[in-house]
Amino acid sequence: MKKPNNFSQQLITKKKKIYPVNAELRQYLAENRREIALPVTYSDLRHFNGSIPIRDKKGNDTLWEAALYSQNELSHIHEGLKQIYSILKSGGDSSVHTHLSVERIDYCTFGNSNPFRIKIVNDFNDNYDYFYIKQADSSRIYGLELEHILSPARINYFVDDRTLVEEHIAGIPGDQFMRSYLQNPEFNKVRIAKEFVKFNERCFVRLLGDMRSYNYVFDITPDFEEVQFRIRPIDFDQQSYEGRKNLYLPQFFKENVELVELTLELLTPETIRQYQKEERTLIARRNISSHFRLNQLITVMDRDTISPPEKVQQLAKELATHYKNDLFLQCQSMGQLVKTSLVVLTKEFA
């Protein structure tokens, strides 16, 4: 791992095309119980009459707006959203959402997907939770599936035609963590650096791009001696889309410079290589243990178009140079590049 000399070269595409879900991917989703009829769609939520900007505790604009709906639509939308929440959390048992209410429907004006964030409140104890409704984009779905199969975490989501529903991934956003928690004297910074190395490796192996600090969260878990850290991506829009290799490595984004500097300060090159190898071993084991489902997904991804041909060709060349392996030069799709990355990884531990 190294600190980049010129962050400006790492600028990412600002607006990515929405790639529709094709028949093969839809069949995969149905076979793996990800396809389900939903009572409210993304299109339904777009019919709001107005909005109010949402600001944080310091009065800063959050880029989210509270959507306002007409009274004759509100009851149907709220009931449908509670049903969706019960599908996410309890398999669709409607009896458990009778004591729930929708406090707010937020609309994001920033980014590719323009998602809706739903705040659900338990009327008995005021406990609340969130989930998201987005446009169904095939590259984002591939990202969710690869995260579910290859990462330490599991992802809960469903698709209905052009609508994607995702559960909320709890944690402290990376930019907020660096501002408010990185200097916490109770935190072992070596553990933070170790997790950043592992996160960097996970993203690169499965080609998940654009992991700037606001696109991932820190999941903090108290242990019997010290706090454990897990970095989890929360934005999967840039799964296997960009052509530049470095855009799949979080270390090359200026938004992550504090974590890069911390890692280089606290970890030796030998220790970094150790943690990289540890993470690659874990990914290889998950690859082997979930081989059937992963192979099914990659086969669909291989035949799908989720990036322009020139980006595929550029990434193939850069990965071939990085790994010193010409197998990447034979790849004609992003799916083939992910497959080859995993093949190379698995052979390391065969």
Side-chain angles (χ1 to χ4, degrees):
M1 179 176 290
K2 60 181 180 179
K3 181 180 177 181
N5 294 322
N6 187 356
F7 283 109
S8 64
Q9 295 179 355
Q10 307 310 321
L11 292 177
I12 201 162
T13 301
K14 294 297 182 182
K15 193 72 174 178
K16 182 182 77 69
K17 173 185 174 182
I18 297 291
Y19 288 93
V21 180
N22 66 21
E24 273 194 289
L25 178 54
R26 200 167 295 283
Q27 181 179 353
Y28 169 90
L29 294 169
E31 290 176 359
N32 289 280
R33 300 182 179 180
R34 297 292 199 184
E35 179 96 16
I36 189 169
L38 299 170
V40 173
T41 67
Y42 181 86
S43 179
D44 293 333
L45 295 182
R46 284 298 299 266
H47 297 154
F48 55 90
N49 299 327
S51 62
I52 302 173
I54 298 174
R55 300 188 179 277
D56 62 20
K57 296 179 180 179
K58 297 182 178 180
N60 301 314
D61 188 359
T62 64
L63 303 178
W64 288 88
E65 299 179 354
L68 305 175
Y69 297 86
S70 62
Q71 286 301 316
N72 60 340
E73 289 185 331
L74 201 58
S75 177
H76 164 70
I77 289 175
H78 279 200
E79 185 62 27
L81 292 175
K82 289 193 293 183
Q83 291 176 20
I84 291 175
Y85 184 75
S86 70
I87 290 170
L88 278 170
K89 298 298 183 179
S90 59
D93 183 359
S94 59
S95 65
V96 303
H97 74 244
T98 56
H99 59 281
L100 301 177
S101 60
V102 178
E103 180 175 299
R104 207 173 64 222
I105 302 172
D106 302 334
Y107 177 68
C108 185
T109 59
F110 177 75
N112 294 314
S113 58
N114 297 127
F116 287 91
R117 179 178 63 193
I118 317 302
K119 185 176 182 180
I120 294 283
V121 179
N122 186 315
D123 296 330
F124 291 155
N125 54 25
D126 293 329
N127 192 30
Y128 62 87
D129 196 4
Y130 296 97
F131 68 91
Y132 300 84
I133 295 183
K134 305 179 180 180
Q135 302 177 70
D137 171 43
S138 61
S139 56
R140 188 179 305 120
I141 292 170
Y142 289 124
L144 288 164
E145 273 296 296
L146 288 169
E147 178 73 5
H148 182 80
I149 296 171
L150 293 176
S151 83
R154 291 294 174 262
I155 297 287
N156 198 14
Y157 75 92
F158 294 102
V159 178
D160 179 14
D161 193 22
R162 297 180 181 181
T163 299
L164 170 65
V165 174
E166 294 179 27
E167 69 178 350
H168 176 64
I169 299 175
I172 301 171
D175 52 351
Q176 181 181 338
F177 181 87
M178 281 183 266
R179 282 196 308 269
S180 305
Y181 294 87
L182 191 58
Q183 302 306 320
N184 188 329
E186 296 182 4
F187 288 171
N188 186 335
K189 293 183 177 61
V190 171
R191 293 194 174 204
I192 297 173
K194 173 183 177 181
E195 175 56 19
F196 183 69
V197 170
K198 287 174 168 284
F199 175 64
N200 199 68
E201 204 67 17
R202 287 196 295 273
C203 293
F204 186 56
V205 168
R206 45 76 64 89
L207 298 181
L208 176 62
D210 196 16
M211 282 298 106
R212 287 174 280 187
S213 56
Y214 45 79
N215 287 333
Y216 59 81
V217 297
F218 273 80
D219 182 6
I220 302 175
T221 305
D223 203 352
F224 69 96
E225 285 189 346
E226 291 184 326
V227 171
Q228 298 280 2
F229 301 92
R230 177 81 70 195
I231 302 178
R232 296 186 61 184
I234 58 173
D235 190 330
F236 300 91
D237 287 352
Q238 295 281 341
Q239 173 63 52
S240 308
Y241 176 74
E242 292 290 350
R244 284 170 288 174
K245 168 186 71 72
N246 285 354
L247 294 178
Y248 298 98
L249 287 158
Q251 73 186 76
F252 284 102
F253 289 102
K254 64 181 180 182
E255 292 84 354
N256 299 326
V257 64
E258 289 184 69
L259 292 176
V260 175
E261 290 174 343
L262 181 75
T263 300
L264 296 177
E265 175 188 346
L266 297 180
L267 303 182
T268 65
E270 292 77 15
T271 303
I272 291 174
R273 285 193 292 271
Q274 173 198 335
Y275 293 151
Q276 288 173 327
K277 186 169 183 179
E278 286 179 8
E279 192 61 31
R280 292 176 73 84
T281 302
L282 290 173
I283 297 172
R285 288 173 179 170
R286 295 185 196 110
N287 181 3
I288 294 169
S289 63
S290 302
H291 180 72
F292 177 80
R293 179 167 178 169
L294 183 59
N295 187 62
Q296 184 186 21
L297 176 69
I298 295 297
T299 298
V300 176
M301 191 178 180
D302 178 3
R303 294 195 282 256
D304 204 349
T305 299
I306 56 174
S307 183
E310 60 271 19
K311 290 183 182 290
V312 176
Q313 295 171 7
Q314 179 185 3
L315 185 58
K317 292 178 182 177
E318 293 195 16
L319 290 176
T321 301
H322 174 81
Y323 285 106
K324 298 180 176 58
N325 191 324
D326 289 343
L327 277 176
F328 290 96
L329 298 177
Q330 302 172 22
C331 297
Q332 302 298 315
S333 70
M334 284 296 185
Q336 290 180 15
L337 288 172
V338 173
K339 180 179 181 179
T340 304
S341 177
L342 293 172
V343 167
V344 169
L345 173 74
T346 307
K347 284 184 177 179
E348 291 180 14
F349 305 99

